[in-house]
Amino acid sequence: MRIPTDRYTSPDIQAQEREKIWMRVWQVAGRVDEIPEVGDWKEYKIFDQSFVVIRGKDGRIRGFVNACRHRGNVLCVGSGNAKRGILCQYHLWSYDLDGNLKGILREGAQGDFGKDGLSLVQVSVDCFAGFIFLNPDPDAAPLAEFLGDGLPELLAPYHLDEMVTVLNVRESVNCNWKVVMDAFEEGYHISGIHPELLRVIMIDPATVRYRFFDNHSVAVAPFDVANVDKFSPDEQVEGIRGLPETFPSVAMVLPRFDELVAGYRGDDGTLLFPEGVTARVLLQQATRDTLTGMGLDVSGLTDAQMSDNHGWVLFPNFFMTIRAGEATTIMATPHPDGDPNKCIWHITSFMWLPEENRDVYRAKLVEVEEPGSFKYFLALQQDYEQMPRQQRGLRSDRLDHMALVREEIVIAHYHSVVDRYLAAETNS
């Protein structure tokens, strides 16, 4: 498959994406636990459009166009609580949590102007796996239809809705939003950008498994030492111990992992694994034991899900790696100034913890103002530094397309979905 480079650099194509993708598709606007109480709200922005999601008295989360029906003033900036309703600071018009116009300044003096028809403009909002999804399209199909059959069932055993945010960072990056998505949709770059992962990830296209949905996909490559039979048990163990540099939450299970490893070490310190036992197998057992010991139910997850990160792509801008007890998401949106050579990326990591421990680890949003000032964990930092380099190359006048190889099948599927949306007719 060949992908034209102007898809990443052209203002005209980005304008098409605005109308045919972003104004038509379900997208993640936040986490449910960001607005836990009645009246809690947060703003969601895409391009020049602003929306507000708010929790009503009935506990339901609703979404509205973030503009007063009087003179269009923006109502909510950032996040907050409006338990008594939303108040426009311009002329003090007020709305209840269902979006109904509740009162206006000196209402009796304003005459009959059709107050009943001036509720906030509602937008479609739904929740899945602890995420708040929003769709700007007034004719949006249900979120369940967009997700498709099978996807919710595959994610349910991870209890993603119970995970707590432990990393939450957002900043501007000098690349197109699809460069971000492409970067996380293949493992072909691991040998070049993440060589330390070669100790624990087997780079063998024959072992990678994929599942494709209408708009979305999931892929997994086993966390295992390549040619494991050629490495000593000690070398396997050291590979696993190096994982926290790339996947920090692995540190939580290392104490149990070391206990299991010690059971195979002789009096002279020699480590011997019997047939069927590898460092990968012990990592799986350590993960299951640790999570179970924390009172968490992992009975719905396989041994492979204890160790292997599954890479989910939810169109248009959501990538997630998830395994037992943890997940990391990367979301990329077009830059609000309209420049196709920039985007906003939003990194969140989650851990599944007992309820009494969640507030201790909960992280607030970090808005990075100075590029490069925030240091991500190793693998993410490597991608962060690579993506702007690719964007500079994509802007070359003589380079008119990218050429994909078979190991980039997820990128090919993703761009086939982009093609479908861009080719669709719209009412505008």
Side-chain angles (χ1 to χ4, degrees):
M1 183 176 183
R2 295 185 174 186
I3 301 172
T5 54
D6 61 358
R7 176 165 289 186
Y8 301 86
T9 62
S10 166
D12 290 339
I13 290 180
Q14 180 137 300
Q16 293 178 47
E17 292 172 347
R18 180 193 186 280
E19 296 307 314
K20 294 190 174 185
I21 295 178
W22 294 101
M23 296 301 113
R24 298 283 184 267
V25 77
W26 287 96
Q27 51 209 272
V28 172
R31 287 284 286 177
V32 170
D33 61 7
E34 291 182 78
I35 50 174
E37 305 296 332
V38 171
D40 283 350
W41 58 264
K42 68 166 291 185
E43 182 185 17
Y44 175 70
K45 295 183 288 187
I46 183 68
F47 285 101
D48 58 351
Q49 301 298 294
S50 177
F51 306 94
V52 60
V53 291
I54 188 167
R55 189 178 291 274
K57 292 181 178 179
D58 57 359
R60 179 183 167 193
I61 297 175
R62 297 175 175 84
F64 304 100
V65 172
N66 189 16
C68 180
R69 295 300 304 277
H70 175 216
R71 299 259 296 277
N73 194 56
V74 166
L75 297 167
C76 302
V77 178
S79 61
N81 181 274
K83 188 173 295 185
R84 296 182 180 179
I86 301 172
L87 179 67
C88 177
Q89 297 297 324
Y90 196 6
H91 298 96
L92 303 183
W93 283 34
S94 62
Y95 303 85
D96 64 22
L97 300 184
D98 294 337
N100 301 308
L101 180 60
K102 188 168 63 174
I104 69 170
L105 184 65
R106 294 189 290 275
E107 182 174 347
Q110 308 309 328
D112 184 8
F113 59 95
K115 178 180 175 182
D116 292 342
L118 292 174
S119 298
L120 295 179
V121 178
Q122 195 157 0
V123 294
S124 295
V125 167
D126 204 346
C127 299
F128 167 70
F131 292 98
I132 304 168
F133 285 78
L134 179 147
N135 193 328
D137 187 354
D139 300 316
L143 175 62
E145 183 177 323
F146 177 72
L147 293 174
D149 295 336
L151 186 154
E153 290 77 12
L154 287 172
L155 283 174
Y158 290 101
H159 297 270
L160 186 55
D161 57 326
E162 298 176 25
M163 292 189 186
V164 63
T165 304
V166 297
L167 175 71
N168 193 1
V169 184
R170 185 166 59 200
E171 68 173 296
S172 175
V173 181
N174 288 327
C175 67
N176 186 270
W177 64 276
K178 295 182 297 299
V179 166
V180 175
M181 295 304 299
D182 293 350
F184 293 95
E185 290 173 356
E186 48 86 5
Y188 191 48
H189 70 278
I190 288 176
S191 297
I193 303 299
H194 314 299
E196 66 286 337
L197 284 183
L198 297 176
R199 301 177 68 185
V200 287
I201 296 182
M202 179 164 34
I203 305 301
D204 180 357
T207 67
V208 181
R209 295 292 178 263
Y210 307 95
R211 180 166 177 178
F212 296 102
F213 301 83
D214 187 29
N215 294 307
H216 321 294
S217 65
V218 59
V220 59
F223 265 46
D224 205 350
V225 178
N227 303 311
V228 64
D229 56 327
K230 297 181 180 180
F231 286 85
S232 71
D234 281 304
E235 289 172 320
Q236 295 178 39
V237 167
E238 287 309 305
I240 297 298
R241 285 189 177 134
L243 272 176
E245 295 180 11
T246 305
F247 302 101
S249 63
V250 174
M252 181 176 66
V253 307
L254 285 184
R256 178 56 181 155
F257 174 77
D258 287 338
E259 288 178 358
L260 294 172
V261 169
Y264 296 95
R265 198 175 293 279
D267 294 339
D268 62 354
T270 302
L271 182 62
L272 293 175
F273 288 154
E275 185 176 353
V277 175
T278 64
R280 165 184 161 86
V281 170
L282 298 184
L283 176 64
Q284 292 171 347
Q285 185 61 51
T287 303
R288 188 177 295 279
D289 290 350
T290 300
L291 295 177
T292 301
M294 294 163 59
L296 304 174
D297 180 11
V298 294
S299 60
L301 295 170
T302 66
D303 286 340
Q305 288 170 314
M306 293 294 123
S307 59
D308 301 348
N309 277 277
H310 289 61
W312 284 88
V313 180
L314 302 186
F315 191 81
N317 70 321
F318 180 95
F319 174 81
M320 175 177 65
T321 61
I322 188 168
R323 69 183 192 98
E326 67 172 327
T328 293
T329 66
I330 295 97
M331 291 181 286
T333 52
H335 200 280
D337 71 6
D339 184 350
N341 297 289
K342 297 190 295 184
C343 72
I344 304 295
W345 91 331
H346 189 179
I347 309 301
T348 47
S349 291
F350 308 95
M351 291 182 67
W352 190 23
L353 299 166
E355 189 170 357
E356 62 270 20
N357 295 337
R358 292 174 188 172
D359 287 341
V360 175
Y361 291 90
R362 195 182 307 275
K364 294 183 178 179
L365 176 64
V366 175
E367 294 274 13
V368 180
E369 301 296 337
E370 181 181 346
S373 62
F374 187 92
K375 297 303 178 185
Y376 300 93
F377 56 85
L378 181 59
L380 206 55
Q381 184 69 29
Q382 292 164 330
D383 288 309
Y384 172 82
E385 294 170 0
Q386 162 60 31
M387 294 183 298
R389 291 198 293 266
Q390 182 184 359
Q391 186 69 29
R392 290 198 299 271
L394 290 171
R395 299 177 72 171
S396 301
D397 292 339
R398 297 290 300 277
L399 187 70
D400 62 2
H401 69 271
M402 303 191 315
L404 302 184
V405 298
R406 291 182 65 183
E407 288 184 52
E408 296 166 318
I409 187 173
V410 174
I411 299 179
H413 176 266
Y414 175 79
H415 280 271
S416 73
V417 181
V418 173
D419 288 339
R420 175 156 39 89
Y421 273 86
L422 292 182
E425 295 295 328
T426 63
N427 295 326
S428 59

